[in-house]
Amino acid sequence: MSALPPVRRSVLRMAAYQPPLGNRRGALRLDFNENTVGCSRRALDALRRLTQEEAAVYPEYERIQQRLARGFGVPAGQLLLTAGTDDALRLAVDTVVEPGSLVVLVEPTFAMYRFYAERAGARLLVLRYGAQMQFPEPSVLRALAQRPRLFVLANPNNPTGTLVPLAVLRRILQAAPRTWVLVDEAYSEFSDVTVLPWVRRYPQLLVTRTFSKAFGLAGLRVGCLFAHRRAAPLFRRAQSPYPVATPALVAAEQALRDRRFLREYLRAVRTGKQILVAGLERLRIPQFPSAANFVLVDFGRRAEAVLRALRRQGILLRDRRSDFGRVGYVRITVGTPAQTRRLVRALEALW
Ligand SMILES: Cc1ncc(COP(=O)(O)O)c(C=O)c1O
């Protein structure tokens, strides 16, 4: 067999990404931080109303971009539509990172930051959260003094559930005027903390939002990248012309408008989290405080057996030991009160 033509060296150096497990339908999915009840009915109705003509023509972004921007409270010119956060990350990295550029991350965090940075051939400087999941602000500020091209942070962070306060984010932005600072706000609906209004003020700030989590549209792949009015045109220049399909757009528009659905789901998750936290305390299972719709716990040496037993009962949790280099860490997505009670009862029976 003849050899293949060459591919990028950065791709050859990458470890193969392990995609999510299949076979999750019908289970109590507490493993991917998705919405555990589904999306707003209004979003689903918008999908059902799609016409043959709408399917036949290329998506028209202008009107929907204006409506989404209004919903998020930013000027339309500062919003770019993307196929989920993943696509926003790829776009950000493709636009600003060159082979050899320095990219700073704080791990454990969402795996796609490393994925896209490595793919682009970046030089990575990886800092770590502390043993109690503290954000290493002094090391971050020292790293920013090296003027990296890009610093990426999830707020709240996955899988730690921690939130970096606004005052710290302000210090980061003030310390790094020559670094693109990307704040991934995939879980900000749950924390109610956001730097989105700051995209008017800081030219180097990028913010991503997604419809995959609180809004329940992970299957449709839609999200947004927000940038300063001077920066946004550069990212638009690097973007493919039709990154988001029409069904995703119409569903996202309705999902954002259905404030009641979102409010009620957020309330259910808040109560679910109280039930989970109390249940874990009763069982004396170590847990870390979380600002998101998931809780990181330490099942210790029993983790594997517990995960296996729960899976047999149709309850899926996410093993996170690879993030911490030791057994025991598991991430639990918070569902509704009823879903959480089911999990807590199952844990009580197993523990
Ligand atoms: C921090 C963070 N950002 C982004 C995503 C993925 O978002 P999307 O579905 O919009 O690509 C996840 C999903 O787990 C996440 O944890």
Side-chain angles (χ1 to χ4, degrees), residues 17 31-34 82-89 109-113 116 153-159 184-187 208-213 217-219 221-224 294 318 320 331:
Y17 176 63
D31 52 348
F32 279 90
N33 304 339
E34 298 151 331
T82 61
T85 309
D86 289 351
D87 183 42
L89 294 168
T109 192
F110 184 45
M112 288 296 109
Y113 308 151
Y116 287 118
L153 176 78
N155 211 37
N157 184 46
N158 168 19
D184 174 352
E185 296 193 336
Y187 302 102
T208 57
R209 287 288 186 91
T210 184
F211 286 87
S212 298
K213 306 296 178 184
L217 295 176
R221 313 305 302 130
V222 54
C224 303
F294 53 85
R318 189 78 187 272
R320 297 274 35 152
R331 194 190 64 202

Side-chain angles (χ1 to χ4, degrees), residues 5-15 99 118-122:
V7 300
R8 270 159 62 175
R9 273 196 296 274
S10 60
V11 172
L12 292 176
R13 279 197 299 263
M14 289 171 76
E118 284 182 346
R119 184 174 159 279

Side-chain angles (χ1 to χ4, degrees), residues 261-320:
F261 172 85
L262 181 66
R263 210 173 35 244
E264 284 173 5
Y265 187 64
L266 296 181
R267 192 182 312 133
V269 168
R270 215 172 304 129
T271 311
K273 191 146 79 176
Q274 287 162 0
I275 294 168
L276 179 61
V277 166
L280 293 166
E281 272 171 11
R282 273 198 309 280
L283 293 169
R284 297 181 193 282
I285 297 172
Q287 57 180 308
F288 295 94
S290 166
N293 65 331
F294 53 85
V295 176
L296 183 68
V297 304
D298 186 357
F299 282 157
R301 282 202 296 273
R302 290 148 90 172
E304 214 169 320
V306 170
L307 289 184
R308 213 175 318 117
L310 289 174
R311 175 172 274 277
R312 274 199 299 271
Q313 298 177 42
I315 302 177
L316 310 179
L317 308 185
R318 189 78 187 272
D319 186 343
R320 297 274 35 152

Side-chain angles (χ1 to χ4, degrees), residues 29-68:
R29 297 173 282 95
L30 306 181
D31 52 348
F32 279 90
N33 304 339
E34 298 151 331
N35 183 311
T36 57
V37 298
C39 66
S40 146
R41 288 236 157 256
R42 280 171 59 171
L44 211 57
D45 289 344
L47 289 176
R48 292 200 178 105
R49 279 197 306 272
L50 274 181
T51 62
Q52 283 175 303
E53 187 184 21
E54 281 173 303
V57 300
Y58 283 96
E60 294 181 4
Y61 289 153
E62 205 175 305
R63 184 183 56 82
I64 224 140
Q65 199 170 318
Q66 278 171 359
R67 290 191 183 169
L68 289 181

Side-chain angles (χ1 to χ4, degrees), residues 94-139:
D94 280 356
T95 309
V96 309
V97 174
E98 299 185 81
S101 296
L102 184 62
V103 173
V104 176
L105 307 177
V106 188
E107 288 187 342
T109 192
F110 184 45
M112 288 296 109
Y113 308 151
R114 182 186 271 268
F115 176 92
Y116 287 118
E118 284 182 346
R119 184 174 159 279
R123 212 159 28 97
L124 274 171
L125 172 54
V126 179
L127 307 170
R128 300 279 306 173
Y129 280 82
Q132 294 308 311
M133 309 302 153
Q134 315 91 313
F135 179 73
E137 184 188 350
S139 318

